[in-house]
Amino acid sequence: MASSDKANPPATRTEALMEEIRRRMARRALGVGDRLPSVRAFAREMVVSPSTVVEAYARLVAEGLIRSRPGSGFTVAGPLPPLTLAEIEPRRERAIDPLWVSRQSLDAEAGVQRPGCGWLPADWMPHEAVRRALRTMARADDGLLADYGSTQGSPALRRLLARQFAAEGMDVAAGQILLTSSGTQALDLLCRLFLRAGDTVLVDDPCYFNFQALLRAHRVLVVGVPRTPQGPDLAAFAEAVAAHRPRLYVTNSAIHNPTGGTLSAQAAHRVLTIAGAGEMIVVEDDILADFEPEPSPRLAVLDGLDRVVRIGSFSKTLSASVRCGYVAGRRDWIEGLVDLQVATSFGSVGPLAAGVVETVLGEGGYRRHMAQLRQRLARQRKAAIAALAPLGIEPWTIPRGGFSLWCHLPEGCSSVELARAALERGIVLAPGNVFSASESADAMMRFNVAQMGDGVIEALGALLGPARLSRASG
Amino acid sequence: MASSDKANPPATRTEALMEEIRRRMARRALGVGDRLPSVRAFAREMVVSPSTVVEAYARLVAEGLIRSRPGSGFTVAGPLPPLTLAEIEPRRERAIDPLWVSRQSLDAEAGVQRPGCGWLPADWMPHEAVRRALRTMARADDGLLADYGSTQGSPALRRLLARQFAAEGMDVAAGQILLTSSGTQALDLLCRLFLRAGDTVLVDDPCYFNFQALLRAHRVLVVGVPRTPQGPDLAAFAEAVAAHRPRLYVTNSAIHNPTGGTLSAQAAHRVLTIAGAGEMIVVEDDILADFEPEPSPRLAVLDGLDRVVRIGSFSKTLSASVRCGYVAGRRDWIEGLVDLQVATSFGSVGPLAAGVVETVLGEGGYRRHMAQLRQRLARQRKAAIAALAPLGIEPWTIPRGGFSLWCHLPEGCSSVELARAALERGIVLAPGNVFSASESADAMMRFNVAQMGDGVIEALGALLGPARLSRASG
């Protein structure tokens, strides 16, 4: 009972009927023991002849998916196909499907160029500091190397984070912080705590594409709010909150992914006011915070972690291999998250990973590394902007930091087509619509200024000619 | 809007009414904007005077939880309290609540004795091998130290596992294996793939207590099947499958947790036959497999990973700090799990953790370590049995391996009362009912033969006197 291969549409009407029955089973519109539509009813519904339905049903019986009983018609035999993410909602064409793009970027072979990916090359990361930390951990107590550790995660690392938050003006106790295996896992726990299937969640449009894959897994309705360089479009934000009464708003404020904009103080205040009136919880993802040249306004800081929950991670700045993130918020919410994490992972981030992070952060060298990284990225960003300009590719806004550049493609150019063509040349791009819940960003593309390696600009130039022509011709 | 404190029952009728409304909101029986029952209807239902309802509603309005509109009655204001695990089903008394017992064991201070916990002391684990592996990883390529790694996890470790499975007679491709951060996370992903709220899942009674906490988080019905020393009670198993049509059966075959029994070949065959007829998927947790003196029959091996999914972990034998587990099964199911893991954790186990595991497993020393560990545990088990016997505590069956001992307490003794009394002395025990979905194991207790440190036997002896007396008196 293989799930249907959506890349190969059914060749015959019979197969299309079988596919439809499988889809209804996958969506649980048909459960084990339920009766299928009668032959006549289904033929009418699908606009086919009854004999085609008979053939389809006979083949499903042969596959063991359904049963036939005289006088009872056809019933579902089960087990039902697992509810894969593909069935929860119609899967997008893969070039703009968040999950497909994620997997392409993560699983690409070593030689493949990834100017669309959302992380720095390994040699840009503080690998020497991580090596030192590993040697330090190799001398740690047996317990740190073998035990599960506490359910909230390393107290020392949580205290370090609390001190960092205090320096931002946020008075947070270490007990209000939970360590998780990643920022994504932190958001997933929050979704498990707060959301039920059918709830509505607000996101920026465009937003980090894996937010959409995660929210799809939680079977919630996703509504996007257009983004300006200073934050969400406030009129649209107010309207969306009033119209949809979302349970959550998931966003990032410092160096927004993918646009690179930064939340202004006025927008921050308005967002919190509107969220308060709409009784909406806000999740602020701080994953790129360390890339800022200086701190910008944060919803978490203004709000004091009352309605806002902060999530973060060390994957972009320290190591994506070590797997450590965190969530900070109200104590009673953190308490609920601890329960969920124990139930679903039995334990927090292990003492080893937390120890590596704490050791690296505690060294003076980490701050120097980040300062140099910010400068290097600033130079790289300038160079990338200059190299893209002759191709007619221009940034939507100039980010204050980080590695992403959200760009307009030349007039008439489709980023989906460009991405498809680039893939054939072994280049993984990030077309605008993978970031856009409303799929309104086909003229945009996100580039990673640290991954514009040899040949990427040339390849883009070569590809843009045909892509532009094909879009103009319709 | 703090969630109710269930340890302090409401003092007044008014508070009880407010508590009931909060509970319905938490369970989503009342959603944002829904009307509350009329004053008269609620008074009738709760058997109180209408004026008490009026007072309760007025106080809820003052708290901002509900609104009053003339002509429209009272409606829910929101946001709804998060659906913590405490609200999903009535929380058990904590001494037998899986989550509470887990958190007690994981968060206990260094000096606290943990004869009820389910892991070895740190100094029994192969810490020298882990130290060597960390130093090896400190010399690894930048990519291993910084990158996310592939979505299925280290190909080298998956190939190693596939070779181990082949040695058991199971022909599994590395592509049928997904690395996860733990065995629990592997099971959680499977639950996300296969289960919908309201499904039924079969477990052994007794079973690993965190299975119950995890299944509660998935809001499924849990049905327990009594266990014999050779596997599930087959008549009861067949009956439960026919009566409940469970979606999944979650079990372990080699060294069952907590009973220590081992699945016989006959039971394995019958279980698979019954599962097949009932169209039920089986998840076989192999976490204690390396503790076996020699391999016993496995559902996964007999079935060839068609209907059975195998999960495993290195937490009990290598390190609980490194956080690495796996799942092996049908390719299309693994494919669905990869999607879910990318969406919810963005990436598999990082290359660092996988590299540590692979390095340790690849050393000849690991096999020797496990062989010595099995012998040490055999001696410790003998000693523990001998020490517990004079207290009237006797094993239900003698395990072939592992560290657990599932024991009858003396006649008339309640394990819940014993556990409560022990906690006051700083000893965390594992009373039988925390493992039993049907709460039919109050006369049983699980002991960890490697955690029966100084004073535990004496303390048990001192406690058993009063505990026995109190049970006998009712």
Side-chain angles (χ1 to χ4, degrees):
Chain A
M1 195 185 314
S3 38
S4 65
D5 182 356
K6 290 193 158 42
N8 294 328
T12 67
R13 284 210 187 88
T14 306
E15 283 164 21
L17 294 183
M18 294 169 72
E19 190 50 48
E20 175 59 22
I21 293 295
R22 284 193 203 101
R23 202 173 290 136
R24 291 183 192 189
M25 289 167 69
R27 285 215 189 91
R28 305 297 187 267
L30 284 173
V32 175
D34 286 353
R35 285 185 73 159
L36 269 65
S38 73
V39 169
R40 197 176 303 185
F42 200 42
R44 216 167 26 238
E45 180 185 344
M46 301 295 283
V47 194
V48 295
S49 70
S51 59
T52 309
V53 176
V54 169
E55 190 190 331
Y57 280 13
R59 285 170 62 177
L60 289 171
V61 168
E63 280 187 15
L65 222 62
I66 67 177
R67 290 197 181 92
S68 166
R69 289 218 201 98
S72 295
F74 296 88
T75 55
V76 177
L80 296 178
L83 204 72
T84 61
L85 291 183
E87 269 82 36
I88 292 170
E89 77 180 48
R91 201 70 176 267
R92 294 177 170 186
E93 123 153 58
R94 61 186 199 170
I96 57 165
D97 179 76
L99 269 177
W100 189 86
V101 173
S102 298
R103 291 179 67 167
Q104 281 300 116
S105 303
L106 288 166
D107 292 334
E109 300 282 325
V112 170
Q113 303 266 34
R114 286 179 263 201
C117 86
W119 52 86
L120 293 172
D123 60 334
W124 286 54
M125 301 289 276
H127 39 83
E128 288 313 311
V130 172
R131 293 176 197 283
R132 281 193 297 274
L134 286 172
R135 289 191 291 265
T136 298
M137 294 308 294
R139 297 187 297 269
D141 290 344
D142 293 348
L144 282 176
L145 300 180
D147 285 339
Y148 284 98
S150 66
T151 56
Q152 262 181 268
S154 158
L157 180 54
R158 288 186 288 115
R159 284 192 296 268
L160 189 154
L161 288 170
R163 287 195 296 274
Q164 287 187 354
F165 297 167
E168 296 179 59
M170 206 161 74
D171 179 26
V172 176
Q176 288 177 257
I177 301 171
L178 170 65
L179 299 183
T180 61
S181 65
S182 63
T184 302
Q185 198 225 351
L187 180 58
D188 185 50
L189 288 172
L190 288 163
C191 289
R192 296 179 92 147
L193 187 67
F194 290 126
L195 301 177
R196 290 297 161 259
D199 277 351
T200 299
V201 173
L202 209 61
V203 295
D204 297 307
D205 197 330
C207 72
Y208 170 45
F209 54 71
N210 205 51
F211 285 165
Q212 297 178 55
L214 176 59
L215 294 171
R216 187 197 302 168
H218 284 276
R219 306 172 78 199
V220 296
L221 295 161
V222 175
V223 172
V225 177
R227 192 83 184 172
T228 76
Q230 293 81 34
D233 174 324
L234 292 166
F237 186 78
E239 209 176 293
V241 173
H244 300 282
R245 299 194 66 81
R247 181 80 166 120
L248 290 186
Y249 171 45
V250 184
T251 187
N252 32 28
S253 306
I255 308 174
H256 176 256
N257 184 1
T259 65
T262 294
L263 186 70
S264 72
Q266 299 76 26
H269 180 70
R270 279 294 289 147
V271 162
L272 285 176
T273 306
I274 295 164
E279 291 158 337
M280 183 173 72
I281 296 164
V282 178
V283 180
E284 189 178 44
D285 179 359
D286 237 29
I287 194 173
L288 297 174
D290 282 3
F291 288 102
E292 289 202 292
E294 67 281 321
S296 62
R298 289 292 201 291
L299 299 168
V301 176
L302 285 179
D303 174 75
L305 293 187
D306 178 46
R307 170 176 300 287
V308 178
V309 181
R310 163 179 286 189
I311 62 178
S313 164
F314 304 100
S315 298
K316 307 296 183 188
T317 52
L318 200 152
S319 166
S321 181
V322 172
R323 310 306 282 136
C324 187
Y326 62 84
V327 51
R330 286 169 41 169
R331 270 189 198 270
D332 55 341
W333 291 353
I334 293 293
E335 183 66 13
L337 295 175
V338 172
D339 273 354
L340 278 167
Q341 190 170 241
V342 171
T344 60
S345 318
F346 201 69
S348 175
V349 174
L352 177 64
V356 169
V357 172
E358 195 214 335
T359 301
V360 174
L361 293 181
E363 291 186 347
Y366 179 74
R367 285 188 200 274
R368 280 194 303 278
H369 165 81
M370 286 309 298
Q372 287 168 353
L373 180 61
R374 287 190 289 265
Q375 289 173 4
R376 187 176 181 185
L377 280 170
R379 293 192 296 271
Q380 202 80 4
R381 188 180 311 119
K382 235 177 133 181
I385 292 173
L388 291 168
L391 305 181
I393 299 176
E394 298 185 350
W396 182 74
T397 193
I398 313 277
R400 291 161 61 242
F403 45 78
S404 293
L405 214 54
W406 179 243
C407 295
H408 296 283
L409 294 178
E411 181 74 34
C413 193
S414 156
S415 62
V416 168
E417 294 200 22
L418 183 57
R420 276 194 219 119
L423 199 61
E424 281 161 35
R425 289 187 179 221
I427 297 175
V428 184
L429 292 174
N433 276 347
V434 74
F435 300 91
S436 170
S438 63
E439 293 187 35
S440 53
D442 192 42
M444 310 297 293
M445 187 160 270
R446 184 188 76 177
F447 293 99
N448 184 330
V449 304
Q451 303 264 12
M452 307 288 278
D454 295 338
V456 170
I457 298 290
E458 288 81 348
L460 281 172
L463 289 164
L464 273 168
R468 196 180 319 183
L469 287 171
S470 82
R471 173 78 183 251
S473 66
Chain B
M1 194 183 316
S3 38
S4 65
D5 181 357
K6 290 191 158 46
N8 294 328
T12 66
R13 284 208 187 89
T14 305
E15 283 164 19
L17 294 182
M18 294 169 71
E19 191 49 50
E20 176 57 23
I21 293 294
R22 285 191 202 103
R23 203 173 292 136
R24 291 183 193 189
M25 289 168 69
R27 288 214 187 92
R28 304 300 187 265
L30 283 173
V32 176
D34 286 353
R35 286 184 73 158
L36 269 63
S38 73
V39 170
R40 197 176 304 184
F42 200 42
R44 214 166 29 236
E45 179 187 348
M46 302 295 284
V47 193
V48 296
S49 70
S51 61
T52 308
V53 176
V54 168
E55 191 190 329
Y57 280 11
R59 286 171 62 177
L60 290 171
V61 168
E63 279 185 18
L65 223 62
I66 66 177
R67 292 198 179 92
S68 165
R69 286 213 203 103
S72 295
F74 296 87
T75 54
V76 177
L80 296 177
L83 204 72
T84 60
L85 292 183
E87 269 81 36
I88 291 171
E89 79 180 46
R91 200 70 176 266
R92 294 177 169 185
E93 122 151 59
R94 60 187 199 170
I96 57 166
D97 179 76
L99 270 176
W100 190 87
V101 173
S102 299
R103 292 179 66 167
Q104 281 298 115
S105 302
L106 289 166
D107 292 335
E109 301 282 324
V112 170
Q113 303 267 36
R114 287 180 264 200
C117 86
W119 52 87
L120 292 172
D123 59 334
W124 285 56
M125 302 290 276
H127 39 83
E128 288 312 310
V130 172
R131 293 176 197 281
R132 282 193 298 274
L134 287 172
R135 291 191 290 265
T136 298
M137 294 308 293
R139 299 188 296 270
D141 290 344
D142 292 349
L144 282 176
L145 299 180
D147 286 339
Y148 283 97
S150 66
T151 57
Q152 263 182 268
S154 157
L157 180 53
R158 287 187 289 115
R159 284 193 297 267
L160 189 153
L161 288 171
R163 286 195 296 275
Q164 286 187 357
F165 298 166
E168 295 178 61
M170 205 160 74
D171 178 28
V172 176
Q176 288 177 260
I177 300 171
L178 170 65
L179 299 183
T180 61
S181 66
S182 63
T184 301
Q185 198 226 352
L187 181 57
D188 185 48
L189 289 172
L190 288 164
C191 289
R192 296 179 93 147
L193 186 67
F194 291 125
L195 300 177
R196 289 297 160 259
D199 277 349
T200 300
V201 174
L202 209 62
V203 295
D204 297 307
D205 197 331
C207 73
Y208 170 45
F209 54 70
N210 206 51
F211 285 165
Q212 297 178 54
L214 176 59
L215 293 170
R216 188 198 300 168
H218 284 276
R219 306 171 79 197
V220 295
L221 295 162
V222 174
V223 172
V225 177
R227 192 83 185 172
T228 76
Q230 294 80 35
D233 174 324
L234 293 167
F237 186 78
E239 208 177 293
V241 172
H244 299 283
R245 299 195 66 80
R247 183 80 167 119
L248 289 186
Y249 170 45
V250 184
T251 187
N252 32 30
S253 306
I255 308 173
H256 175 255
N257 183 1
T259 66
T262 295
L263 187 70
S264 71
Q266 298 75 26
H269 179 70
R270 279 294 288 147
V271 163
L272 286 177
T273 306
I274 295 165
E279 289 156 339
M280 183 174 72
I281 297 164
V282 178
V283 179
E284 188 177 45
D285 179 357
D286 237 30
I287 196 171
L288 298 174
D290 282 1
F291 288 101
E292 288 200 296
E294 67 281 319
S296 61
R298 289 293 201 292
L299 300 168
V301 177
L302 285 179
D303 173 74
L305 292 187
D306 178 47
R307 168 177 302 286
V308 178
V309 181
R310 164 179 285 188
I311 63 179
S313 164
F314 304 99
S315 298
K316 307 297 185 187
T317 52
L318 201 151
S319 166
S321 181
V322 172
R323 313 305 284 133
C324 186
Y326 63 84
V327 51
R330 287 170 39 169
R331 270 189 199 272
D332 55 340
W333 291 352
I334 293 294
E335 183 66 13
L337 295 174
V338 172
D339 272 356
L340 278 167
Q341 191 169 239
V342 171
T344 60
S345 318
F346 201 70
S348 176
V349 174
L352 177 63
V356 168
V357 172
E358 195 215 334
T359 302
V360 173
L361 292 182
E363 290 186 349
Y366 178 74
R367 284 187 201 274
R368 277 192 305 276
H369 164 81
M370 285 309 298
Q372 286 167 354
L373 180 61
R374 288 190 288 266
Q375 289 174 4
R376 188 175 180 184
L377 280 170
R379 290 190 299 269
Q380 203 81 2
R381 188 180 312 116
K382 235 179 134 181
I385 292 173
L388 291 167
L391 305 182
I393 297 176
E394 296 185 353
W396 183 75
T397 193
I398 314 278
R400 290 162 61 242
F403 45 79
S404 294
L405 213 55
W406 180 243
C407 295
H408 295 285
L409 293 177
E411 180 74 34
C413 193
S414 156
S415 62
V416 167
E417 295 200 22
L418 184 57
R420 277 194 219 117
L423 198 61
E424 281 161 35
R425 290 188 177 219
I427 297 175
V428 184
L429 292 175
N433 275 347
V434 74
F435 301 91
S436 171
S438 62
E439 292 187 35
S440 53
D442 193 41
M444 310 296 295
M445 188 161 268
R446 184 188 77 177
F447 293 99
N448 183 329
V449 304
Q451 303 263 11
M452 306 289 279
D454 294 338
V456 170
I457 298 291
E458 288 81 347
L460 281 173
L463 289 165
L464 275 169
R468 195 179 319 182
L469 287 170
S470 81
R471 171 78 183 249
S473 68

